[in-house]
Each structure stands twice: as structure tokens, then as C-alpha cells.
Amino acid sequence: MKRIAIICIAAWAGMAGAGGLESLEVFVKTVKTGRADFTQVVTSPVKEGQAPRAKTSSGTFEFSRPNRFKFIYNKPFEQSIVADGQTLWLFDADLNQVTARKQASTLGSTPAALIAAAPDLRALQADFTLADAPDKDGLQWVAATPKSKDGQLQTVRVGFRVRDPATNQAAGLAALEILDSFGQRSLLTFNRFEINPALPGNSFQFKAPPGADIIRQ
């Protein structure tokens, strides 16, 4: 498969001077739903004598904590990743193929758990070692290292926009940087991030398109 609101101001008041770890804790605790556009740039490891190769895709992202989210890729290829609370659905439109996996055994040490699936920071700390990372590009960053050494994920960094005291605008998710064990780096940047929007009850229902080949793992 191809590589794929404003809330209570008091809760956010301390974030202007907070580090990335505190920003993550407040985000997980107070942002129960979210919606954004995203752009993803995947960069492969540089090979000797070759220029760096990067692939760019874009789409939309929604989540409802805990354990429900969807990434809809629109360009350059149509793909969907939908978690409905029980099953993680992966759909490739070009192949008209759906892969279904049980969420319980899939999401623990994944980037999705960091930003959308986990109910609280304690749940994240069961699967990740979390630490503040230096501020960069005007964002507060937290670094997450999976405790399991069996997966393909090496490290994840999550970036948050700092709350602007002048406007009282709440901080929001800005970026997700993923480094896998093969040295491939994926950077997702989120735009027009909405905090706690009202999402329809059927937002995370998935129905396989007619004629799609369904693979259950």
C-alpha cells in the first residue's frame, strides 16, 4: 500500500511558557475532538551518489478521543485510514483494496496514539518514553520513543503552536515528525486545526466500496 473551538482558556493559560511535554499533556487532556488539513512529506534516506527523494501528499484529518480517527488522502492518490474504535481500515482506491486490522493490537505504539487515540498521558507513557525536545520553528516539541523494540518506528516528535497571549487563541497541533527504523522520515504539517469541533456520529464509520478486495489481518 502506498505511503501513506476554542476551549476553556484557563486550561491553556500556562502553555505560553510550557514545554512540549506539558503541551502534550494539556492537549490530550482537553482536546477531545479535532479537525485539520494536512500535508505529508516523506523523505527517503540519502543513498551515495543520489539526491534526496521526497514525496508529498495531502488530505484531511479528524479524530474523536479515544480511538477514533481518520486520515483521508486526496492527492496525489486517494487513500483512507479510518479507526472506528474496533477496527483500523486501510483503503487504497487505485487497487480498490481494503485492509482491516484489530485496533487493540495495532495502535499502541503508533503516531496516531500520540495525537488522537490515547485517552490520557498515562496511556501514552505505557508505550512511549516521553521527553521535552528543544523549541524549533516557533513550535514546542515533545519527543516520543517507543518502548517496544519490535516495531518499525524509531522516534516521533510532535509540535504544538504556542498560545498567543495577545489574542487568547488556544494552542493547537502543528506538526508530526516520524522516523522509522529504515531511516525514512515523514513530516505531517497541520493547517486550519479546529479544537473540539462537533463531529457527526457517523464520522468514523467505514463502508468498503462495491467490489473492493477486503483483507483481514
Side-chain angles (χ1 to χ4, degrees):
M1 193 171 182
K2 304 182 187 72
R3 283 283 181 179
I4 11 186
I6 301 300
I7 61 177
C8 179
I9 295 301
W12 291 90
M15 290 194 64
L21 186 56
E22 186 176 346
S23 296
L24 175 63
E25 182 175 15
V26 174
F27 181 80
V28 172
K29 183 178 180 180
T30 61
V31 181
K32 300 306 180 184
T33 63
R35 178 166 52 203
D37 298 330
F38 73 88
T39 299
Q40 178 175 347
V41 179
V42 178
T43 305
S44 299
V46 178
K47 296 182 180 180
E48 187 176 354
Q50 296 183 359
R53 295 178 300 165
K55 297 180 180 179
T56 302
S57 53
S58 61
T60 59
F61 167 60
E62 293 181 0
F63 72 90
S64 179
R65 202 181 304 280
N67 298 329
R68 289 173 173 81
F69 63 85
K70 64 181 178 183
F71 288 88
I72 305 299
Y73 289 78
N74 299 316
K75 296 179 180 180
F77 306 105
E78 293 185 19
Q79 300 176 15
S80 301
I81 304 174
V82 181
D84 63 12
Q86 299 295 325
T87 303
L88 180 67
W89 303 92
L90 311 176
F91 172 60
D92 187 313
D94 283 357
L95 299 177
N96 199 24
Q97 183 180 84
V98 176
T99 302
R101 301 171 181 168
K102 292 183 178 180
Q103 279 189 224
S105 59
T106 303
L107 288 184
S109 299
T110 65
L114 283 165
I115 61 173
D120 52 42
L121 196 64
R122 182 176 298 181
L124 287 176
Q125 290 171 327
D127 294 303
F128 292 93
T129 299
L130 304 173
D132 285 325
D135 291 0
K136 183 181 178 182
D137 300 327
L139 303 179
Q140 294 171 328
W141 293 87
V142 59
T145 304
K147 292 182 177 180
S148 172
K149 304 303 180 183
D150 298 331
Q152 297 182 353
L153 189 63
Q154 184 172 331
T155 59
V156 181
R157 295 198 318 147
V158 187
F160 296 94
R161 294 184 180 88
V162 180
R163 186 182 71 86
D164 184 355
T167 62
N168 267 344
Q169 183 177 2
L173 179 66
L176 183 67
E177 186 179 52
I178 306 161
L179 179 65
D180 67 23
S181 57
F182 302 104
Q184 181 169 263
R185 188 178 303 274
S186 299
L187 177 63
L188 288 87
T189 54
F190 299 94
N191 300 299
R192 299 194 298 177
F193 185 81
E194 298 178 50
I195 295 174
N196 291 331
L199 300 177
N202 62 353
S203 288
F204 306 100
Q205 293 179 3
F206 178 84
K207 184 176 181 180
D213 182 22
I214 301 178
I215 302 171
R216 296 187 180 273
Q217 298 181 340

